[in-house]
């Protein structure tokens, strides 16, 4: 299983959702890999505790090998790092991804990530991909490489308008590059159950037939504290309601919910 977490809008919780679902997966015994494709490297920091120049090389090294061509390109493989959490490994992102992007686009290397993950699928039962907040080379590579897609949604009017265009873009990519990609659903994030607007907006999306998942992730300061501690919620505070919502969402996606 290869699951990409994607939304072009920033601040909707892509990294938090990808990392916490991957951590739940690992805690349940699945050999799990998270691939960070965002030059901001938020997932890399969250799962490793490293920041800035201290983040070890990762996916950028793989793409540099691809650009080099020859024998190095044919055998390209990024460093894979252990995290402090059992069964959870990480391919990091670093800011140099931004400089590599135009070179990779010019060389038409859009399918290289899929070939890499094809090879890694025998080693990892679950692979999660965190993406930049833009439909760029790395995001398209992830959508081509994945077989499932989750869309975070934070219940505001700007997110709603962006959602329709995003679904159209995914549908076009499915037709052109990856007909096996399945949109698993829209994940409501930072949900405030006492506010009327989120309830109304969710009801309208459901009435339109959009695939809103029934587990809503609440807004909580505990998430920010988890970020600060560089420890996913299932390890940071497993009994917290938001931690249990991530478990519920994970089990729903695994067909156990």
């Amino acid at each position: 299983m290869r699951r990409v977490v994607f939304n072009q809008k920033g601040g909707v919780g892509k990294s938090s959702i990808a990392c916490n679902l991957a951590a739940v997966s690992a805690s349940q015994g699945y050999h799990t890999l998270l691939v960070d494709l965002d030059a901001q490297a938020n997932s890399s920091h969250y799962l490793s505790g490293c920041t800035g120049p201290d983040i070890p090389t990762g996916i950028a090294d793989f793409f540099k090998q691809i650009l080099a061509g020859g024998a190095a390109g044919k055998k390209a493989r990024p460093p894979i790092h252990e995290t402090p959490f059992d069964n959870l490994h990480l391919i990091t992102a670093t800011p140099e991804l931004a400089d590599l992007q135009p070179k990779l686009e010019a060389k038409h290397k859009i399918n290289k990530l899929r070939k890499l993950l094809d090879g890694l699928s025998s080693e990892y039962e679950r692979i999660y991909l965190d993406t930049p907040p833009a439909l760029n080379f790395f995001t398209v590579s992830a959508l081509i490489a994945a077989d499932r897609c989750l869309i975070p949604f934070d219940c505001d009017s700007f997110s709603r308008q962006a959602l329709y265009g995003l679904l159209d873009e995914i549908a076009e990519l499915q037709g052109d590059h990856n007909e096996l990609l399945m949109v698993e659903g829209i994940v409501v994030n930072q949900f405030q159950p006492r506010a009327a607007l989120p309830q109304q907006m969710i009801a309208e999306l459901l009435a339109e037939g959009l695939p809103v998942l029934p587990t809503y992730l609440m807004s909580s300061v505990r998430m920010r504290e988890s970020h600060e501690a560089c420890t996913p919620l299932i390890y940071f505070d497993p009994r917290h309601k938001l931690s249990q919502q991530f478990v519920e969402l994970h089990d729903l996606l695994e067909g156990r919910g």
Side-chain angles (χ1 to χ4, degrees), residues 4-242:
V4 59
V5 182
F6 167 58
N7 192 319
Q8 289 176 254
K9 186 177 183 293
V12 296
K14 289 186 303 297
S15 297
S16 295
I17 290 171
C19 289
N20 278 282
L21 285 176
V24 172
S25 171
S27 75
Q28 293 189 3
Y30 294 106
H31 200 201
T32 304
L33 174 69
L34 186 133
V35 183
D36 190 356
L37 292 160
D38 186 354
Q40 297 177 80
N42 291 330
S43 286
S44 298
H45 171 63
Y46 192 12
L47 295 183
S48 73
C50 300
T51 187
D54 294 329
I55 295 176
T57 186
I59 198 66
D61 188 64
F62 166 73
F63 285 120
K64 285 191 286 188
Q65 293 175 57
I66 291 296
L67 288 170
K74 291 179 180 178
K75 298 179 180 180
R77 180 182 167 112
I80 299 176
H81 305 282
E82 293 186 0
T83 72
F85 316 106
D86 289 345
N87 297 318
L88 183 56
H89 289 180
L90 171 67
I91 297 179
T92 61
T94 49
E96 63 184 321
L97 285 175
D99 296 327
L100 291 171
Q101 179 177 321
K103 300 173 185 177
L104 291 162
E105 289 173 337
K107 295 288 188 177
H108 307 292
K109 302 298 184 180
I110 204 70
N111 290 302
K112 294 299 183 180
L113 181 64
R114 176 163 59 185
K115 292 180 181 178
L116 170 68
L117 298 190
D118 285 345
L120 291 176
S121 290
S122 62
E123 301 175 39
Y124 293 96
E125 297 168 279
R126 303 290 184 269
I127 298 175
Y128 286 81
L129 300 116
D130 184 23
T131 56
L135 192 66
N136 63 15
F137 172 86
F138 299 112
T139 303
V140 173
S141 292
L143 290 165
I144 290 173
D147 48 49
R148 307 181 187 190
C149 178
L150 284 181
I151 303 171
F153 178 74
D154 61 358
C155 287
D156 69 36
S157 57
F158 294 126
S159 291
R160 182 175 180 177
Q161 292 306 311
L163 180 61
Y164 301 116
L166 184 151
L167 289 168
D168 288 342
E169 287 164 350
I170 291 176
E172 183 176 351
L173 186 140
Q174 287 169 317
D176 291 343
H177 298 286
N178 186 3
E179 61 183 16
L180 298 179
L181 179 65
M182 174 181 67
V183 176
E184 287 185 291
I186 297 164
V187 180
V188 175
N189 192 32
Q190 303 175 54
F191 181 62
Q192 298 175 321
R194 297 183 181 179
L197 180 61
Q199 299 278 9
Q200 176 186 339
M201 191 168 290
I202 291 168
E204 291 172 353
L205 293 176
L206 287 169
E208 293 171 8
L210 295 182
V212 179
L213 294 170
T215 299
Y216 308 155
L217 302 174
M218 65 186 290
S219 179
S220 173
V221 69
R222 212 67 175 137
M223 178 62 81
R224 292 193 291 274
E225 293 169 349
S226 163
H227 292 164
E228 186 68 23
C230 297
T231 305
L233 282 162
I234 194 64
Y235 302 109
F236 184 69
D237 188 352
R239 296 186 179 181
H240 191 271
K241 185 175 181 179
L242 182 54

